[in-house]
Structure formats: C-alpha cells, structure tokens
Amino acid sequence: MKIIGITGGIGTGKTKALNFFKSKNIPCYESDRRAKDLLNSEAELIKIIKSIFGEDIYNESGIDRKALASIVFNDEESLQTLNDTVHPFVKSDFNKFIKKQKSEIIFYESAIIFEHAMQEYFNKIILLISPFKDRIKRLIKRDGFSLDEIKKRISNQFDDKDKIPLSDYIINNKFWKDTVLELEKTYLKIKNLD
C-alpha cells in the first residue's frame, strides 16, 4: 500500500485535488475535515479542549469554531497547543482508516504535513502551490475571510520555498485545466512506483 500526502498552504486547492483522486475511487483521508469531526465527537478530545480553552468554547451545536479561530489565529502558542492536542487523535483515526482499505494507493490531505514533521509517514508527497493573489481571491470567495484573517492564517504555515525541497511532486494550481493534467501525470507516476 502506497500512502501519498497532499499538502499546500491554505487556498492552494488541496480539496479540489483530493476530489480529483476521489473521482478515481481512491480512498482519500481529509485530515482537516476529520479533525473538525473529532472535535465534536471524541469525548476525550472534547474534555481536553475544554480544559485548555474553557467550557464555553463549546455551545449547543458543538465547538464554536469562530471563537476558537479568533483565539488560535491571534496567538501562535495557542495554535501550536491546539495542533499538538488534536494531532494524535487524527493520527489514530487515520490508522483506523488505513486498516479498512484494500486499495494499493491512499491519499492523505493536510495543510501541515511539514509543520508537524510527518513526511516520513508517506511514500511520496504532492505539494500544491498557487500565486498569493489567487489564494486570497479563493479564500475570500470560499470562506468570506478578510484580508487580515487570510494573512494571519498564511503566516502560521511554512512558506512554499521551505516546502518545495521536501516534496516529491510540485503542482502549480493557477489554471485548473492545467492542474488536472499535472494531477493525471503525477497519478500515473505514483501508480508505477515500486
């Protein structure tokens, strides 16, 4: 079984790339989405998060993501604490996911593979990069973030220049039709790996 990491900064198109592989019926693990699910379903994690960020970080519908974001994206130490707390639960969840799969290839998507020094878990890593202006446009359209919020989130991730030497495949997602061709080529290379 080949485990392939897909990473890239916020707004580079990781989810869209993952959907490309999903369309080929390849098992894909979305770490960010699963982390959000676990924050609302895993009793032990909920207890730890409440002890760190206070009982009122949860409301009747689950974790108050806006309140949590306003804390962690304005304080580097809080963000690190959150990531360090959630990461072991995501890792355990991913191991369960792997055990259920029969596929020769599995994709794991996360914005912070390198930030967590996780690269040794993967046979290969695909890095999506994208012009800064395009990332800003996508994030304003997708999430309604302000420019200040976007800059704060980007500043909490490694720069592309630090990620490129650590990655096996670099795909510049400027024009989606070109990105699809690159994803297709990359997929063929991964399929042919020994």
Side-chain angles (χ1 to χ4, degrees), residues 97-120:
F97 176 84
I98 289 171
K99 285 175 186 164
K100 293 178 189 168
Q101 307 309 321
K102 302 209 177 347
S103 174
E104 286 179 27
I105 301 169
I106 290 176
F107 285 92
Y108 176 102
E109 174 268 323
S110 172
I112 51 175
I113 285 175
F114 299 121
E115 288 83 344
H116 273 281
M118 289 173 61
Q119 50 269 43
E120 74 271 10

Side-chain angles (χ1 to χ4, degrees), residues 16-57:
K16 214 169 174 184
L18 204 66
N19 287 336
F20 167 85
F21 294 115
K22 277 184 186 174
S23 73
K24 295 182 175 296
N25 295 314
I26 301 166
C28 295
Y29 185 88
E30 296 169 77
S31 69
D32 192 41
R33 187 183 61 78
R34 284 301 298 148
K36 287 169 188 164
D37 292 345
L38 293 167
L39 280 164
N40 285 312
S41 64
E42 187 64 50
E44 191 187 340
L45 179 58
I46 291 167
K47 189 176 163 187
I48 297 167
I49 293 295
K50 282 181 177 179
S51 75
I52 297 167
F53 297 101
E55 291 283 329
D56 57 352
I57 204 71

Side-chain angles (χ1 to χ4, degrees), residues 35-83:
K36 287 169 188 164
D37 292 345
L38 293 167
L39 280 164
N40 285 312
S41 64
E42 187 64 50
E44 191 187 340
L45 179 58
I46 291 167
K47 189 176 163 187
I48 297 167
I49 293 295
K50 282 181 177 179
S51 75
I52 297 167
F53 297 101
E55 291 283 329
D56 57 352
I57 204 71
Y58 282 85
N59 55 37
E60 62 283 346
S61 56
I63 195 155
D64 186 337
R65 287 177 49 205
K66 276 193 174 177
L68 186 63
S70 74
I71 295 167
V72 300
F73 291 111
N74 288 303
D75 178 44
E76 214 172 294
E77 203 174 298
S78 292
L79 180 62
Q80 189 65 49
T81 301
L82 176 66
N83 285 335

